Amino acid sequence: MNLSAIKALIEAMAGSGLAEMTYSEDGWTLRLVRDPAGASGDAAPAQPAAAPAAPGATADVPLPPSDVLEAPLGGVVYFHPAPGAAPFVVLGSTVQAGDTLCVIEAMKVFNTVRAERGGTIAEFLVASGSEVEAGQPLVRLA
Protein backbone atom coordinates (compact mmCIF):
# COMPACT_ATOMS: atom_id res chain seq x y z
CA MET A 1 0.00 0.00 0.00
CA ASN A 2 1.53 3.30 -1.04
CA LEU A 3 1.09 6.82 0.31
CA SER A 4 -1.04 8.00 -2.60
CA ALA A 5 -3.49 5.11 -2.05
CA ILE A 6 -3.70 5.96 1.66
CA LYS A 7 -4.33 9.64 0.87
CA ALA A 8 -7.05 8.67 -1.63
CA LEU A 9 -8.77 6.52 1.00
CA ILE A 10 -8.59 9.35 3.56
CA GLU A 11 -10.09 11.79 1.03
CA ALA A 12 -12.83 9.31 0.12
CA MET A 13 -13.72 8.86 3.79
CA ALA A 14 -13.65 12.64 4.41
CA GLY A 15 -16.13 13.16 1.57
CA SER A 16 -18.51 10.51 2.88
CA GLY A 17 -20.60 10.04 5.98
CA LEU A 18 -18.60 6.99 7.06
CA ALA A 19 -17.46 6.86 10.69
CA GLU A 20 -15.06 3.96 10.12
CA MET A 21 -13.56 2.07 7.20
CA THR A 22 -11.11 -0.80 6.75
CA TYR A 23 -9.17 -1.51 3.56
CA SER A 24 -6.81 -4.44 2.88
CA GLU A 25 -4.33 -4.84 0.06
CA ASP A 26 -1.20 -6.99 -0.44
CA GLY A 27 -1.14 -8.18 3.17
CA TRP A 28 -1.61 -4.65 4.59
CA THR A 29 -4.72 -3.51 6.40
CA LEU A 30 -5.59 0.15 6.92
CA ARG A 31 -8.31 1.10 9.41
CA LEU A 32 -9.59 4.68 9.39
CA VAL A 33 -11.80 5.94 12.21
CA ARG A 34 -13.40 9.36 12.28
CA ASP A 35 -13.27 11.15 15.65
CA PRO A 36 -16.84 11.00 16.98
CA ALA A 37 -16.48 14.46 18.58
CA GLY A 38 -15.52 15.92 15.20
CA ALA A 39 -12.14 17.15 16.39
CA SER A 40 -9.21 16.42 14.14
CA GLY A 41 -6.23 14.48 15.44
CA ASP A 42 -3.57 17.06 16.23
CA ALA A 43 0.02 15.96 16.27
CA ALA A 44 1.92 16.47 19.51
CA PRO A 45 5.07 18.60 19.22
CA ALA A 46 7.39 15.92 20.57
CA GLN A 47 7.20 12.29 21.59
CA PRO A 48 5.88 12.04 25.15
CA ALA A 49 7.68 10.03 27.80
CA ALA A 50 5.94 7.43 29.87
CA ALA A 51 5.01 8.74 33.31
CA PRO A 52 4.58 6.82 36.55
CA ALA A 53 1.49 4.67 36.66
CA ALA A 54 -1.71 6.48 37.45
CA PRO A 55 -4.14 4.91 39.89
CA GLY A 56 -6.51 2.45 38.24
CA ALA A 57 -10.26 2.13 38.61
CA THR A 58 -11.86 -0.71 40.46
CA ALA A 59 -13.27 -3.18 37.96
CA ASP A 60 -16.21 -4.03 40.25
CA VAL A 61 -17.83 -0.59 40.11
CA PRO A 62 -19.42 0.37 36.78
CA LEU A 63 -19.00 4.06 35.98
CA PRO A 64 -21.70 6.22 34.40
CA PRO A 65 -20.85 6.60 30.69
CA SER A 66 -21.29 10.39 30.79
CA ASP A 67 -18.50 10.67 33.38
CA VAL A 68 -15.97 8.55 31.49
CA LEU A 69 -13.85 9.70 28.57
CA GLU A 70 -13.07 6.77 26.26
CA ALA A 71 -10.18 6.32 23.85
CA PRO A 72 -11.30 7.31 20.33
CA LEU A 73 -8.72 4.93 18.83
CA GLY A 74 -6.24 2.28 19.87
CA GLY A 75 -2.60 3.07 20.59
CA VAL A 76 -0.31 4.19 23.40
CA VAL A 77 -1.71 6.87 25.70
CA TYR A 78 0.46 9.65 27.14
CA PHE A 79 -0.62 12.24 29.70
CA HIS A 80 2.48 14.42 29.04
CA PRO A 81 3.12 16.45 25.84
CA ALA A 82 6.85 15.67 25.81
CA PRO A 83 9.56 13.97 27.89
CA GLY A 84 10.06 15.89 31.14
CA ALA A 85 7.11 18.21 30.48
CA ALA A 86 4.31 18.83 32.94
CA PRO A 87 1.23 16.65 32.37
CA PHE A 88 -1.72 18.02 30.41
CA VAL A 89 -3.91 17.51 33.49
CA VAL A 90 -3.49 16.17 37.02
CA LEU A 91 -5.87 14.62 39.49
CA GLY A 92 -8.26 17.35 40.63
CA SER A 93 -7.66 19.59 37.58
CA THR A 94 -10.69 21.50 36.35
CA VAL A 95 -11.15 21.15 32.58
CA GLN A 96 -13.46 22.74 30.04
CA ALA A 97 -14.89 21.06 26.95
CA GLY A 98 -12.14 21.00 24.33
CA ASP A 99 -9.19 21.01 26.78
CA THR A 100 -6.41 18.53 25.95
CA LEU A 101 -6.34 15.57 28.35
CA CYS A 102 -3.80 13.30 26.67
CA VAL A 103 -2.44 12.12 23.34
CA ILE A 104 -2.68 8.65 21.83
CA GLU A 105 0.14 7.50 19.59
CA ALA A 106 -1.09 5.30 16.76
CA MET A 107 1.15 4.42 13.80
CA LYS A 108 3.67 7.12 14.84
CA VAL A 109 0.98 9.82 14.77
CA PHE A 110 0.05 11.60 17.99
CA ASN A 111 -3.72 12.19 18.21
CA THR A 112 -4.97 14.75 20.73
CA VAL A 113 -7.75 13.59 23.04
CA ARG A 114 -9.89 16.47 24.30
CA ALA A 115 -12.46 16.73 27.07
CA GLU A 116 -15.98 16.24 25.74
CA ARG A 117 -17.43 18.30 28.60
CA GLY A 118 -16.25 20.38 31.52
CA GLY A 119 -15.55 18.87 34.91
CA THR A 120 -12.87 17.86 37.38
CA ILE A 121 -10.40 15.02 36.79
CA ALA A 122 -11.62 12.48 39.35
CA GLU A 123 -9.62 9.44 38.29
CA PHE A 124 -7.13 8.21 35.71
CA LEU A 125 -8.30 4.80 34.50
CA VAL A 126 -5.09 3.89 32.62
CA ALA A 127 -1.41 4.58 33.18
CA SER A 128 0.52 6.92 30.93
CA GLY A 129 2.55 4.86 28.47
CA SER A 130 0.09 1.98 28.43
CA GLU A 131 -1.51 0.55 25.32
CA VAL A 132 -5.24 1.15 25.00
CA GLU A 133 -7.96 -0.04 22.66
CA ALA A 134 -10.64 2.09 20.99
CA GLY A 135 -13.51 2.58 23.42
CA GLN A 136 -11.40 1.84 26.51
CA PRO A 137 -12.10 4.22 29.44
CA LEU A 138 -9.22 6.70 30.01
CA VAL A 139 -10.33 9.33 32.51
CA ARG A 140 -13.31 9.82 34.82
CA LEU A 141 -14.66 13.34 35.25
CA ALA A 142 -16.64 14.51 38.27
Side-chain angles (χ1 to χ4, degrees):
M1 188 174 302
N2 62 40
L3 185 58
S4 63
I6 294 170
K7 285 181 179 180
L9 289 168
I10 292 170
E11 289 173 8
M13 184 174 176
S16 73
L18 293 175
E20 181 175 334
M21 96 188 267
T22 304
Y23 178 79
S24 297
E25 178 182 295
D26 299 327
W28 289 88
T29 299
L30 175 68
R31 180 173 172 245
L32 300 173
V33 179
R34 188 180 308 245
D35 183 1
S40 63
D42 298 328
Q47 181 172 352
T58 57
D60 301 343
V61 181
L63 300 171
S66 61
D67 291 343
V68 176
L69 175 78
E70 297 177 345
L73 71 161
V76 179
V77 66
Y78 297 103
F79 290 101
H80 294 78
F88 293 112
V89 293
V90 295
L91 196 61
S93 294
T94 300
V95 297
Q96 301 299 318
D99 286 354
T100 300
L101 301 178
C102 62
V103 293
I104 296 179
E105 178 188 10
M107 297 179 63
K108 299 187 181 186
V109 174
F110 291 90
N111 300 279
T112 302
V113 178
R114 300 182 189 281
E116 296 170 352
R117 66 171 183 88
T120 302
I121 303 296
E123 189 171 15
F124 290 96
L125 304 173
V126 297
S128 189
S130 61
E131 192 164 325
V132 296
E133 295 181 13
Q136 182 174 345
L138 300 174
V139 175
R140 185 172 61 85
L141 296 176

